[in-house]
Amino acid sequence: MSNSDQPLGAKRRASQNDTSRNTLDTKHARLEPEMRTPIARLGIHPLSKYRQACPQFKEPREIISFSYDETRQMRMDNHQLKYYYPPRIDPMPSLFAGFEQQICRDSTKNEHIDGLLNALAYVRTKNEAAEPNDTRADFVMYRGMLTRIFVTPFSLRDAWSMNIARVGATIYVEDNVTDEMIADRSGSSEQHRRLMYSGYKFETLCMVDEPPETLSREQLDEQLAKQAREVVNTHSEYCTVFRTQLGPHSIISGAEVDCIDRAKPHEFPNRSYRELKTSRCLDSEKARNSFERFKLLKFWAQSFIAGIPVVTVGFRDDEGRLKEVQDIRTQDMPRMVRGKPRMWEANVCMNFANQVLQFIKDNVTDGGPDTQYRIEYSPEEAQVQIYSLGKRPSFLTAEYIKSLSK
């Protein structure tokens, strides 16, 4: 349930030593004064220029999937794939239960895009690509970075910053993790941590270890009881790596997947994947408007990008009690807000993202793993800006760079 979908374990980075590879590079977190002049700017407004027919978007096709186990070790298998089963809400379970016992991964480690790169390197070295170009694309980045770009036209107050490197014809994008971000994660209030925890707890209540259709009633009851007692462990994840295309831009992306509806099919498993989300109960018109304007936008972008058809939302009260569970189809979300004042528009998001990707292509021209750029969205200036950082330690792993010759 990673916010950035950049959740994966660190390996040795090219041109870096073991002592620096897992920790925040505070030395380079901020731009030096002489680099604060952007080499290119893209204005956000007017949004009307993006109100046109949607660019082509190809249904995502999975290349490979992998897991992180309870100790955060990467495994090239489906070990952490869980299966959806509707949670019991009578009696109402508490989504705060077990908060003190949870096992959290170290939020001070910057994991870069290592897992995504390692998965692609694995496919190359094992010659497991279904098609020759499966591991080649214009862009390689986690879904979280694409989501930030998608929602920017309707999240104008939310700044973001990403690092970029170009190797050959491929542009790699990662989150620019700063010391302030690390401090925010470590210093958040207990109430904020409880709300974050409630999302993980909701997931445990919705998932079983085997396809429900293969279990007897007794086996299913046993698994549900086990899940209710389960200690939340945020080291564990199941991830999909997929290929898609927005307009002329081919993209390889990775995303955490919460669960699947049935035994995983060989073709287009994304059609059976399911997102699990939580929200405070919509007990007023103001609450519903805020949910549709902000949360539903992010739910749609995340699910649309990965080709996931259904989002299951658990609604909780202020005491953390799960009051209601609702399934929302991804394709229905734009229609739910259409025509309402101050709401988002899917075509604007897609056209804006298409233009940002072209903006990156046009301005990130120098190549090499250790030649870096930074792209930032500045709310104050309502602009997306690209900076040249020159030579920097690469955020690509040495193993991945070696695999490029395969």
Side-chain angles (χ1 to χ4, degrees):
M1 190 177 148
S2 158
N3 289 332
S4 68
D5 274 332
Q6 193 153 298
L8 308 171
K11 290 278 188 179
R12 183 186 302 271
R13 222 153 313 288
S15 306
Q16 288 181 272
N17 59 41
D18 285 346
T19 60
S20 66
R21 68 187 186 188
N22 288 335
T23 56
L24 175 67
D25 187 2
T26 54
K27 179 180 178 182
H28 296 130
R30 292 182 175 274
L31 294 178
E32 288 76 359
E34 65 271 18
M35 295 180 178
R36 288 306 304 178
T37 302
I39 61 171
R41 303 172 187 263
L42 174 66
I44 303 294
H45 298 294
L47 294 184
S48 58
K49 62 187 173 182
Y50 304 113
R51 290 191 177 102
Q52 50 187 289
C54 295
Q56 179 190 25
F57 185 80
K58 288 189 177 180
E59 180 178 9
R61 181 172 54 80
E62 186 169 277
I63 301 170
I64 194 171
S65 57
F66 60 93
S67 299
Y68 279 94
D69 67 15
E70 296 80 359
T71 63
R72 203 61 181 168
Q73 295 301 304
M74 185 175 178
R75 299 173 49 155
M76 299 309 303
D77 59 26
N78 297 330
H79 177 71
Q80 290 296 333
L81 178 60
K82 303 295 183 181
Y83 301 86
Y84 178 71
Y85 192 81
R88 294 171 173 172
I89 59 173
D90 185 17
M92 291 180 291
S94 170
L95 298 184
F96 295 158
F99 171 74
E100 293 78 10
Q101 288 76 45
Q102 67 177 309
I103 302 170
C104 299
R105 70 175 189 261
D106 187 351
S107 63
T108 66
K109 289 185 177 180
N110 184 357
E111 297 181 329
H112 298 274
I113 57 172
D114 293 5
L116 178 56
L117 299 181
N118 292 338
L120 293 175
Y122 178 88
V123 173
R124 287 195 182 119
T125 56
K126 299 294 184 181
N127 294 315
E128 291 195 357
E131 297 182 12
N133 292 325
D134 263 358
T135 59
R136 312 280 179 178
D138 297 334
F139 291 91
V140 173
M141 69 181 89
Y142 275 122
R143 174 182 62 174
M145 303 302 99
L146 271 176
T147 299
R148 289 184 195 176
I149 296 171
F150 261 65
V151 306
T152 298
F154 301 99
S155 303
L156 293 173
R157 296 181 181 179
D158 297 338
W160 48 257
S161 178
M162 306 173 196
N163 299 321
I164 299 176
R166 182 174 199 141
V167 180
T170 300
I171 295 170
Y172 301 84
V173 183
E174 70 152 7
D175 194 7
N176 176 35
V177 180
T178 65
D179 49 357
E180 289 88 352
M181 293 168 64
I182 296 294
D184 285 346
R185 294 173 190 170
S186 303
S188 58
S189 68
E190 179 174 323
Q191 177 63 13
H192 177 73
R193 293 196 301 273
R194 282 184 179 273
L195 294 178
M196 294 292 293
Y197 171 83
S198 69
Y200 290 109
K201 182 63 176 178
F202 178 63
E203 292 176 5
T204 66
L205 297 177
C206 293
M207 302 186 300
V208 294
D209 294 332
E210 300 171 66
E213 65 269 19
T214 68
L215 301 174
S216 67
R217 181 73 254 177
E218 293 75 17
Q219 290 172 322
L220 185 57
D221 287 342
E222 182 180 336
Q223 287 220 13
L224 292 173
K226 171 179 173 288
Q227 290 301 95
R229 299 189 303 268
E230 190 94 357
V231 174
V232 168
N233 184 337
T234 64
H235 291 88
S236 305
E237 287 182 12
Y238 168 79
C239 301
T240 178
V241 177
F242 57 90
R243 181 184 179 88
T244 186
Q245 184 162 327
L246 176 65
H249 314 296
S250 57
I251 305 165
I252 291 175
S253 190
E256 178 185 0
V257 174
D258 295 324
C259 59
I260 194 169
D261 285 347
R262 58 191 178 96
K264 182 178 177 179
H266 181 69
E267 295 290 332
F268 292 102
N270 59 286
R271 296 175 183 175
S272 299
Y273 289 152
R274 180 182 291 256
E275 293 275 4
L276 302 173
K277 302 292 186 180
T278 55
S279 174
R280 188 181 179 277
C281 292
L282 308 182
D283 52 7
S284 68
E285 188 62 29
K286 181 179 179 181
R288 179 168 293 278
N289 182 74
S290 178
F291 173 81
E292 292 182 347
R293 185 180 175 192
F294 299 111
K295 280 204 166 186
L296 201 64
L297 167 61
K298 292 183 179 179
F299 293 175
W300 169 78
Q302 289 177 335
S303 302
F304 176 79
I305 289 167
I308 298 177
V310 179
V311 178
T312 295
V313 184
F315 293 95
R316 50 156 184 81
D317 63 17
D318 291 336
E319 285 70 47
R321 291 173 299 207
L322 182 62
K323 307 276 285 188
E324 181 186 355
V325 177
Q326 181 181 352
D327 290 345
I328 308 176
R329 295 193 62 79
T330 303
Q331 66 180 14
D332 293 339
M333 294 179 189
R335 290 195 289 268
M336 291 171 63
V337 301
R338 188 173 298 156
K340 296 183 179 181
R342 302 176 67 199
M343 288 294 175
W344 52 276
E345 302 164 69
N347 63 324
V348 172
C349 296
M350 295 177 68
N351 281 305
F352 175 75
N354 186 38
Q355 183 160 338
V356 169
L357 295 182
Q358 187 60 54
F359 176 64
I360 295 172
K361 277 185 178 178
D362 291 343
N363 292 285
V364 175
T365 54
D366 292 340
D370 57 353
T371 299
Q372 287 189 33
Y373 294 79
R374 184 161 298 156
I375 183 169
E376 297 182 341
Y377 166 64
S378 167
E380 293 80 10
E381 300 180 63
Q383 290 182 340
V384 176
Q385 303 169 341
I386 294 179
Y387 302 84
S388 175
L389 305 187
K391 297 295 184 181
R392 294 288 177 96
S394 178
F395 61 83
L396 307 185
T397 64
E399 292 89 340
Y400 177 77
I401 293 172
K402 182 180 179 181
S403 77
L404 292 175
S405 61
K406 299 292 182 180

